[in-house]
Amino acid sequence: MHPHIAEAVKRPDLVSLRPDLVCLRFETMKIYSALGAVRHLLESGAVRPGDTLIDSSSGIYAHALALACHRYGMKCHIVGSTTVDRTLRVQLEILGVTLEQVRPSKNLRLDQELRVRRIAEILEANPSYHWMRQYHDSIHYYGYRDVADAIDREVPAGPVTLVGGVGSGASTGALATYLREAGRDVSLVGVQPFGSVTFGSEHVSDPDMIIAGIGSAIPFQNVRHELYDRIHWVNFDCALSGSVELLRTSGIFAGLSTGAAYLATTWERRRGDSRTYVFIAADTGHRYVDSAYARHADAPDIDTLKPHEITSLDELRHPWSTTSWPDLSSSGES
């Protein structure tokens, strides 16, 4: 029996789609990150029960931190993006979270800058608040050790290719790190939207991209670039195709970042070797029903899609590009 709903919701399911293809499916992945971080802060004495924790979020982390604060008797203050929808706002309100949403912005960079600026103002007025810094503080790696242990325990012995949206860097970075520490041969494949600075695609915009949380307009310290073996840049149409195909063939209803990860995984798998491929489904698809899934009839057939292999960031192009990241970074482009 679980002592709190956060402990139940956090647990992922490992779903075998084929003998060498596994979906690591979460209801909401960042609860692991938030619970691990808050627990560490309490155990280290950095915060005490009743203190206020504050951070910025586009949505998923806001819910995760709210549940972690509820679990450990903390107060929660979120400076949210306009992507925090009504369903989440109502939940946060009932959970006692103080939620502020910044004004709508023309681009992701301005949205993130507004949120960070507002946090600075709040901290100046409330110096006792603790800023969680999900994008920069390595404590957000700690909660994923249990997930890595589950993968190591349940996925057959042998080399593994792990595929997932990069976002803050904590989930893919932590899982690869802990699996490698356990002695597994792990190839890490990161997925990015166009327009993100994290792996240098800020010069290629994607006005249709609505995948919250897997890219960034500002550098994130939790992204450890040296951990990644390959990077895929995927636009909205391709991510939608991956999501629709995954639902159609497996019944897994997940967000657009999962569709992008599934698409990248299918390509990596075609390259052919005796590895097990594990892709991350970070959340469910419910918040993408109107903005994406409702357009499923227009999604290109996944079998018609093929990435453009690049050797320079100048070669990045829609709808889908990929590269060996160590080769690109060694050429001085990272």
Side-chain angles (χ1 to χ4, degrees):
M1 186 177 297
H2 299 290
H4 190 273
I5 185 62
E7 303 291 346
V9 173
K10 76 176 185 180
R11 297 192 179 278
D13 300 304
L14 280 160
V15 183
S16 177
L17 305 186
R18 293 182 181 85
D20 64 342
L21 180 60
V22 177
C23 177
L24 179 64
R25 186 248 180 214
F26 293 85
E27 183 171 337
T28 175
M29 182 182 67
K30 288 195 174 183
I31 290 181
Y32 257 112
S33 180
L35 282 173
V38 174
R39 185 166 56 245
H40 173 80
L41 290 171
L42 287 166
E43 291 173 351
S44 66
V47 300
R48 295 176 297 176
D51 284 353
T52 297
L53 307 182
I54 185 172
D55 212 344
S56 163
S57 174
S58 61
I60 297 175
Y61 184 77
H63 183 226
L65 186 60
L67 287 178
C69 286
H70 192 275
R71 166 78 171 86
Y72 289 112
M74 317 292 289
K75 297 183 180 70
C76 182
H77 191 135
I78 295 293
V79 177
S81 170
T82 54
T83 56
V84 177
D85 60 22
R86 182 174 181 271
T87 300
L88 179 54
R89 286 199 306 271
V90 172
Q91 291 183 73
L92 296 178
E93 180 180 346
I94 294 172
L95 286 169
V97 175
T98 299
L99 172 66
E100 301 182 38
Q101 285 183 271
V102 297
R103 66 180 185 271
S105 304
K106 294 180 179 179
N107 56 59
L108 178 61
R109 175 180 289 277
L110 182 56
D111 178 81
Q112 290 179 328
E113 288 177 349
L114 287 173
R115 284 187 270 149
V116 171
R117 192 181 310 155
R118 179 57 187 148
I119 286 177
E121 294 171 353
I122 295 169
L123 290 173
E124 185 175 0
N126 302 273
S128 65
Y129 286 11
H130 182 87
W131 184 11
M132 292 298 293
R133 302 177 74 245
Q134 66 150 320
Y135 304 132
H136 309 299
D137 196 327
S138 62
I139 61 172
H140 291 89
Y141 273 52
Y142 298 158
Y144 291 110
R145 184 178 288 279
D146 288 346
V147 184
D149 289 344
I151 295 172
D152 191 35
R153 187 170 58 249
E154 296 189 38
V155 171
V160 170
T161 293
L162 178 68
V163 186
V166 177
S168 70
S171 59
T172 49
L175 291 174
T177 296
Y178 295 140
L179 283 168
R180 287 167 178 167
E181 287 178 358
R184 296 296 286 255
D185 173 359
V186 177
S187 176
L188 181 57
V189 179
V191 178
Q192 283 277 279
F194 290 99
S196 171
V197 305
T198 306
F199 285 91
S201 68
E202 63 271 22
H203 61 292
V204 184
S205 65
D206 184 3
D208 292 326
M209 179 52 69
I210 54 172
I211 304 181
I214 73 165
S216 176
I218 57 177
F220 291 164
Q221 293 175 22
N222 270 340
V223 177
R224 301 173 186 174
H225 293 77
E226 69 279 4
L227 296 176
Y228 296 85
D229 296 287
R230 290 187 61 81
I231 299 295
H232 286 253
W233 294 266
V234 179
N235 75 2
F236 171 83
D237 290 338
C238 287
L240 176 59
S241 292
S243 300
V244 170
E245 180 70 9
L246 179 63
L247 178 56
R248 180 181 292 124
T249 58
S250 72
I252 294 173
F253 181 48
L256 283 180
S257 68
T258 303
Y262 177 64
L263 181 70
T265 303
T266 60
W267 180 256
E268 293 296 326
R269 198 166 157 266
R270 284 179 202 153
R271 289 157 57 88
D273 55 27
S274 56
R275 309 180 72 86
T276 300
Y277 292 83
V278 180
F279 67 95
I280 298 172
D283 62 350
T284 67
H286 294 85
R287 66 174 174 159
Y288 294 107
V289 170
D290 292 330
S291 58
Y293 276 99
R295 298 158 60 178
H296 67 89
D298 300 325
D301 186 329
I302 194 173
D303 291 331
T304 67
L305 301 175
K306 179 181 178 180
H308 172 54
E309 188 81 33
I310 67 168
T311 57
S312 166
L313 291 173
D314 291 336
E315 299 171 0
L316 277 169
R317 69 185 188 206
H318 285 256
W320 177 13
S321 294
T322 187
T323 194
S324 166
W325 184 250
D327 292 345
L328 201 67
S329 59
S330 66
S331 68
E333 292 211 37
S334 61

